[in-house]
């Protein structure tokens, strides 16, 4: 069978998958190790046809997939691998570019720079920022903190709120820095009056925290960072995409003063997994940490390679999928998806609020609703387990002020009002059912 035939069959597989994914159990209904056991324990000696791969994808692999593409996926921060993004992934694999130097792939480097510039414009960021793509926000935050550490020798503390993402702690562990958690206020925002910058090389402020999507007061934090000469890193991994909507820009006040910013197009900007945007206004500080040009990589052209601004040498062609998304949706298309997710989250929040047996437990600036059922932590946890075990929807949880809290995040572009009402019905049905 030819590449063309297998290719057509694969594309057809993806198209039908997307058509039926709403009806598949959202959370994989398998036990740990079950898939491993069902697969051959040794690789084949003889070549097998690609059609066998597709068959096993259906019969063996699919049951072990948790369906992030499902419109009924409401856990963590829901995302979307959109059609233009999916196709661009295929094209990028076809080209198989390796960006170690500008000359090894001018298209990779220049499209990445241009696309990051486009995205900065869409999000209302200032002109002239240096942008590049990382695989994840975790890597981006580590990149920022490595530069901050180098820029302020001797200062070993990174300040962030207790609600900052765990990737800050992880980066600090790897970089031998120390995290100092600043207290948060009643709306889960970092309290700038309690900011202690002694010995600090960086502050990580979050716009859209992981637990509640709360917004740290970036302008006040930026004032303090400027006074003390401390690097300000803004983590807007989830919420940053919402800045494409002018009516939401207040949430992003001050982020233009950051030394570095991360936003994940693979969260709320329709781009398949593995696309995190990073901007800095201090590219020389990144280069001071990451540029290392051995003899075999010396070239005559005077172009700094993007690999001089982060830890990977061989860089993937990630920009193609983001560029395709920005072109095929346009500013208006992206705005429409963000607004609809927020509308649906507001609708869900209203359903929870109007029911006396339930409580909304955090402000909702974007598309994440934090709520709980009246009752104990154990009852709420058991409710989450029952709901997720049903396979009908998938939600996640957090702890706020020591209490167990349910989280419903709208972020899949295929989610409709019916899906959100369905989620509420499943929650109410399972809440009414006494645990076994
Ligand atoms: C605020 C925030 N920062 C960082 C991350 C980490 O993102 P990534 O998985 O791209 O490393 C997340 C993930 O949800 C997040 O919510």
């Amino acid at each position: 069978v030819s590449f063309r035939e297998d290719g057509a069959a694969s594309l057809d597989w993806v198209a039908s998958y997307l058509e039926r994914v709403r009806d598949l159990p959202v959370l994989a209904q398998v036990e740990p190790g079950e898939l491993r056991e069902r697969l051959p324990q040794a690789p084949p000696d003889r070549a097998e046809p690609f059609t066998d791969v597709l068959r096993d994808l259906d019969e063996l692999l699919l049951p072990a997939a948790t369906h992030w593409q499902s419109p009924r996926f409401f856990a963590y921060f829901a995302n979307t691998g959109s059609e233009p993004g999916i196709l661009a992934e295929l094209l990028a694999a076809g080209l198989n570019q390796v960006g170690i130097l500008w000359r090894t792939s001018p298209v990779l480097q220049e499209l990445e720079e241009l696309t990051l510039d486009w995205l900065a414009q869409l999000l209302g960021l200032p002109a002239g920022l240096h942008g590049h793509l990382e695989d994840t926000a975790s890597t981006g935050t580590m990149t920022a903190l490595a530069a901050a550490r180098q820029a302020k020798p001797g200062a070993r503390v990174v300040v962030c709120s207790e609600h900052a993402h765990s990737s800050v702690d992880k980066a600090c562990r790897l970089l031998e820095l120390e995290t100092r958690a600043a207290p948060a206020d009643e709306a889960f925002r970092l309290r700038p009056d309690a900011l202690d910058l002694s010995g600090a090389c960086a502050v990580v402020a979050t716009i859209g925290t992981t637990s509640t999507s709360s917004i740290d007061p970036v302008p006040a934090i930026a004032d303090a960072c400027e006074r003390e000469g401390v690097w300000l890193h803004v983590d807007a991994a989830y919420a940053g995409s919402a800045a494409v909507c002018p009516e939401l820009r207040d949430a992003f006040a001050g982020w233009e003063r950051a030394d570095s910013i991360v936003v994940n197009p693979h969260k709320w900007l329709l781009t398949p997994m593995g696309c995190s945007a990073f901007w800095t206004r201090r590219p020389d500080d990144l280069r001071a940490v990451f540029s290392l040009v051995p003899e075999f990589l010396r070239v005559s052209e005077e172009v700094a390679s993007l690999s001089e601004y982060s830890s990977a040498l061989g860089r993937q062609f990630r920009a193609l999928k983001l560029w395709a998304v920005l072109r095929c949706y346009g500013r208006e298309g992206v705005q429409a998806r963000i607004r609809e997710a927020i509308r649906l989250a507001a609708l869900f929040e209203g359903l929870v609020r109007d029911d006396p047996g339930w409580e909304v437990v955090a402000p909702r600036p974007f598309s994440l609703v934090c709520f709980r059922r009246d009752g104990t932590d154990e009852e709420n946890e058991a409710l989450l387990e029952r709901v997720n075990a049903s396979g009908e929807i998938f939600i996640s949880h957090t702890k706020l002020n020591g209490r167990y809290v349910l989280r419903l995040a709208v972020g899949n572009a295929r989610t409709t009002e019916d899906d959100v009402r369905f989620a509420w019905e499943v929650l109410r049905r399972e809440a009414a059912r006494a645990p076994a």
Side-chain angles (χ1 to χ4, degrees), residues 77 135-139 165 167 206 208-210 235 237-238 264 266-267 273 276:
F77 285 123
D135 53 357
T136 60
S138 302
T139 307
H165 190 262
S167 55
T206 311
T209 57
T210 311
D235 176 357
Y238 152 66
N264 276 0
H266 71 215
K267 282 194 163 57
M273 181 57 196
S276 180

Side-chain angles (χ1 to χ4, degrees), residues 111-127:
L111 195 72
E112 185 164 326
E113 289 167 346
L114 175 99
T115 306
L116 272 278
D117 186 40
W118 277 17
L119 185 57
Q121 292 178 45
L122 287 170
L123 303 185
L125 288 169

Side-chain angles (χ1 to χ4, degrees), residues 13-220:
W13 189 93
V14 176
S16 9
Y17 169 69
L18 293 178
E19 279 159 17
R20 67 197 164 104
V21 64
R22 175 177 274 109
D23 300 318
L24 299 177
V26 191
L27 179 63
Q29 310 282 304
V30 288
E31 295 301 321
E34 198 178 319
L35 174 63
R36 273 300 290 268
E37 261 175 40
R38 298 184 66 193
L39 293 170
Q41 301 303 302
D45 288 325
R46 292 236 175 81
E48 297 177 338
F50 193 78
T51 44
D52 286 5
V53 173
L54 278 182
R55 188 201 56 220
D56 287 353
L57 179 60
D58 264 325
E59 292 176 6
L60 300 173
L61 305 191
L62 203 60
T66 289
H67 296 290
W68 286 76
Q69 292 281 48
S70 170
R72 295 177 174 178
F73 186 109
F74 298 106
Y76 313 109
F77 285 123
N79 65 8
T80 314
S82 67
E83 289 81 352
I86 294 167
L87 295 176
E89 285 273 38
L90 174 65
L91 300 174
L95 283 167
N96 200 29
Q97 297 291 286
V98 182
I100 54 181
L101 296 166
W102 174 84
R103 66 162 60 175
T104 66
S105 182
V107 63
L108 183 155
Q109 174 148 348
E110 295 193 16
L111 195 72
E112 185 164 326
E113 289 167 346
L114 175 99
T115 306
L116 272 278
D117 186 40
W118 277 17
L119 185 57
Q121 292 178 45
L122 287 170
L123 303 185
L125 288 169
L129 294 176
H130 186 278
H132 76 268
L133 290 172
E134 298 277 6
D135 53 357
T136 60
S138 302
T139 307
T141 292
M142 183 141 63
T143 302
L145 296 182
R149 182 182 72 167
Q150 170 108 354
K152 202 166 181 197
R156 310 292 289 188
V157 174
V158 174
V159 182
C160 60
S161 108
E162 56 193 281
H163 293 280
H165 190 262
S166 54
S167 55
V168 179
D169 274 327
K170 193 186 264 191
C172 286
R173 246 198 244 171
L174 291 170
L175 294 165
E176 298 188 332
L177 297 169
E178 178 196 327
T179 38
R180 180 185 295 149
D185 67 13
E186 72 297 338
F188 313 107
R189 301 169 297 205
L190 185 150
R191 273 178 44 203
D193 60 303
L195 207 55
D196 168 10
L197 294 189
S198 55
C201 63
V203 175
V204 180
T206 311
I207 300 180
T209 57
T210 311
S211 277
T212 70
S213 75
S214 62
I215 301 160
D216 288 340
V218 177

